[in-house]
Every structure is written in structure tokens, then in C-alpha cells.
Amino acid sequence: LSLLAGQFNYGRRGILDLTHKRLFTFASIKRLLRTHGFQIESVEGIPAPFALALRCPRLAKALLWVNRGLIRLNMSWFSYQIAIVAKPLPSLHTLIRQADAGD
């Protein structure tokens, strides 16, 4: 039930045990990055690779166009993957070094 609600909480046992690859929602990946000292610059939803899955280029192009439109409406529901640009915030060590260099 928690998976249906978008809660990808990993534990010691089960489908989301600690040995499995990580699955993220937009909220969970942003939370992870912020918790570990990153500032999020941009977030983008990536459409499904219809051109790789279908033999009909016209259909693939039409579905890609529809998917991009749906992503604009609701990125979390209609994105195939997530692309995030994030930069690390300065660490305490970096801030101290910069302060010492300013003397």
C-alpha cells in the first residue's frame, strides 16, 4: 500500500530491502539531495523512449508529443525518468578555508 502512495521506504526485508536498486519519486530524490547538502538547480521529467519501443516512427513521434504535453500537466505522474541538476553546497571545511584565505 505504501508503494501505491508513492512511499518508497527501504527496510531490512521485502520488495524494497536494502540490497535493491533505488526507486525515487520527485519528492524523495529532492529530499535526499537536500539532506546530503545539495542545492537543486532544475528538475525535469523525461518522456518514455517510444522511438526505441515502437517500429512505427510516426506513432512514436505522436506518443512522444502527447507524453511531453502530459508531463507539462503533471510531471510526477507522466515522467518516465527524472533529470535533476544539483550543485553541492559549500562544506564547513570549504567555508573555513575561504575565510582563512580572506585574512
Side-chain angles (χ1 to χ4, degrees):
L1 290 175
S2 63
L3 291 174
L4 291 174
Q7 299 294 318
F8 296 103
N9 300 318
Y10 290 83
R12 289 187 296 164
R13 295 185 300 152
I15 192 168
L16 292 178
D17 72 58
L18 297 174
T19 65
H20 283 81
K21 299 229 185 253
R22 299 293 183 219
L23 302 173
F24 295 100
T25 63
F26 280 93
S28 66
I29 189 70
K30 286 192 234 180
R31 184 173 53 250
L32 177 76
L33 289 169
R34 287 185 185 121
T35 300
H36 291 282
F38 286 85
Q39 179 179 340
I40 296 170
E41 300 287 314
S42 66
V43 180
E44 182 181 347
I46 306 297
F50 294 109
L52 296 175
L54 302 173
R55 291 185 181 168
C56 178
R58 291 177 121 176
L59 178 60
K61 190 174 181 177
L63 289 172
L64 183 62
W65 183 82
V66 169
N67 194 186
R68 284 185 177 148
L70 291 170
I71 288 171
R72 277 191 228 98
L73 291 175
N74 191 323
M75 196 177 342
S76 347
W77 284 11
F78 297 108
S79 297
Y80 179 73
Q81 291 183 339
I82 300 170
I84 295 179
V85 175
K87 68 177 184 179
L89 295 171
S91 67
L92 180 58
H93 179 12
T94 302
L95 293 172
I96 291 171
R97 195 173 64 230
Q98 289 173 347
D100 285 345
D103 289 337

